[in-house]
Amino acid sequence: MNTYNSLANNLESLELHRFRENIDKYLDMIADGSKTALDAIYELTEMEIGFRKEQTIKGCVKVANFPFLKEINEFDFSFQPSLDKAKIMDLMTLRFLENNENIIFCGTPGVGKTNLAVSIGIEAAKHRYCVYFITFQDLISQLKKAASENRLDTRIKFFCRYKVLIIDELGYQKMDVDSANLFFNLIAKRYEKSSTIITTNSPFSKWADIFQEPVLTNALLDRLLHHCSVININGPSYRLKDQMQFMTEDN
Ligand SMILES: Nc1ncnc2c1ncn2[C@@H]1O[C@H](COP(=O)(O)OP(=O)(O)OP(=O)(O)O)[C@@H](O)[C@H]1O
Ligand SMILES: [Mg+2]
């Protein structure tokens, strides 16, 4: 086997796939003098590193369990003028993660709560933070199941592992006391250790009705709101955007 073939095999064995794919192009450039060997080797290694970073990011985004992948540049701020864009862009810097702060998106259906939570989550995943997305309902049923199987601690530890936990759709239905306690347990464990992002359509004044335990609700809100950005979104539903346009045209 000649040296070229051996090199190609070695690159495959070392799983340097980008290096392998581009080696011919670079050998040609070295041969015609348009690139020095040093520059060629450097650029090939940079390519490989770039590719690996990209793969890691893709992996982080994949395990985060997002319901869709929408980044902040796709979000139309002009559609939601009550939303403080500067505040959202500040959250996108991920500064809040350094201080283990929470974010609560509160607003009526379709105003972009889940979208914004996901966009911030993607940004965090891109920076290789452990992120996990779950609906409130799924979270509670997983905690309940774990409790009934005597493995609640393990499940709580699982959810505490994530630097960013996105809990979507809190308050869409009332819950029993056991569920409320399980949720409190999780939030108390994450308090000041990591960041929790919650989306809800219920103002805080209604949370006691949802959790059906005023004392527990106070203790829960106390922990959640201690270091927290509350983003209230008052505006039209993006889901009804096209219908709204139709209605305006009709008039
Ligand atoms: N300002 C916006 N720009 C672009 N797309 C948007 C905007 N607001 C919402 N959307 C899109 O509209 C749909 C509904 O938004 P989203 O799911 O975030 O609403 P929500 O506030 O979470 O509603 P719900 O309370 O019903 O869960 C999604 O597909 C989302 O990507
Ligand atoms: Mg939503």
Side-chain angles (χ1 to χ4, degrees):
M1 199 184 292
N2 64 31
T3 312
Y4 171 79
N5 285 333
S6 301
L7 171 65
N9 283 347
N10 286 353
L11 292 175
E12 292 289 342
S13 305
L14 290 167
E15 298 190 5
L16 297 171
H17 302 304
R18 284 321 114 193
F19 203 127
R20 169 72 189 94
E21 274 169 30
N22 290 283
I23 188 83
D24 286 330
K25 194 172 77 190
Y26 276 84
L27 287 173
D28 287 345
M29 287 193 277
I30 295 168
D32 71 18
S34 61
K35 195 75 77 185
T36 66
L38 181 65
D39 281 346
I41 297 167
Y42 172 70
E43 285 176 27
L44 284 164
T45 53
E46 277 289 293
M47 244 178 224
E48 193 65 48
I49 290 170
F51 173 72
R52 288 192 180 188
K53 270 191 191 151
E54 223 174 87
Q55 291 303 104
T56 311
I57 288 168
K58 275 190 189 149
C60 289
V61 170
K62 200 167 175 212
V63 296
N65 192 35
F66 296 121
F68 50 77
L69 296 178
K70 288 192 184 175
E71 299 200 35
I72 200 68
N73 56 2
E74 297 170 61
F75 194 83
D76 180 3
F77 283 92
S78 67
F79 184 78
Q80 216 56 265
S82 78
L83 190 62
D84 183 350
K85 182 176 177 183
K87 177 69 195 168
I88 301 296
M89 295 321 281
D90 181 44
L91 294 171
M92 289 296 296
T93 66
L94 307 179
R95 227 162 35 91
F96 73 100
L97 292 183
E98 298 307 315
N99 310 320
N100 300 315
E101 289 170 15
N102 302 323
I103 306 173
I104 300 182
F105 289 103
C106 190
T108 45
V111 290
K113 303 180 296 296
T114 304
N115 189 331
L116 290 168
V118 165
S119 299
I120 293 170
I122 293 173
E123 190 63 14
K126 279 180 156 185
H127 285 80
R128 301 201 221 176
Y129 285 105
C130 287
V131 182
Y132 196 70
F133 180 103
I134 189 164
T135 62
F136 183 70
Q137 209 175 354
D138 282 351
L139 175 72
I140 295 302
S141 62
Q142 287 190 26
L143 292 178
K144 270 184 148 175
K145 188 164 181 285
S148 72
E149 292 168 359
N150 252 333
R151 47 176 189 84
L152 180 61
D153 277 358
T154 316
R155 203 62 195 156
I156 296 251
K157 272 190 197 133
F158 168 83
F159 288 119
C160 285
R161 241 180 34 206
Y162 294 100
K163 179 72 179 166
V164 185
L165 182 65
I166 302 175
I167 304 172
D168 196 35
E169 301 186 349
L170 184 150
Y172 286 55
Q173 57 209 69
K174 282 192 180 175
M175 57 202 308
D176 55 71
V177 177
D178 283 350
S179 305
N181 274 305
L182 289 169
F183 185 60
F184 174 75
N185 198 339
L186 174 66
I187 295 303
K189 292 254 162 59
R190 288 181 59 82
Y191 175 60
E192 292 191 328
K193 292 200 189 76
S194 37
S195 295
T196 305
I197 302 179
I198 291 177
T199 79
T200 181
N201 58 6
S202 301
F204 300 130
S205 56
K206 298 245 172 77
W207 281 32
D209 292 341
I210 299 162
F211 290 100
Q212 310 210 44
E213 279 280 320
V215 176
L216 183 137
T217 307
N218 275 343
L220 178 73
L221 280 172
D222 203 57
R223 281 159 183 77
L224 277 177
L225 297 177
H226 186 194
H227 312 286
C228 185
S229 295
V230 179
I231 313 289
N232 283 303
I233 314 177
N234 302 304
S237 165
Y238 196 84
R239 293 193 189 102
L240 302 179
K241 191 168 83 114
D242 295 338
Q243 281 89 325
M244 279 162 53
Q245 199 177 349
F246 180 69
M247 277 151 60
T248 324
E249 278 166 10
D250 235 21
N251 289 333

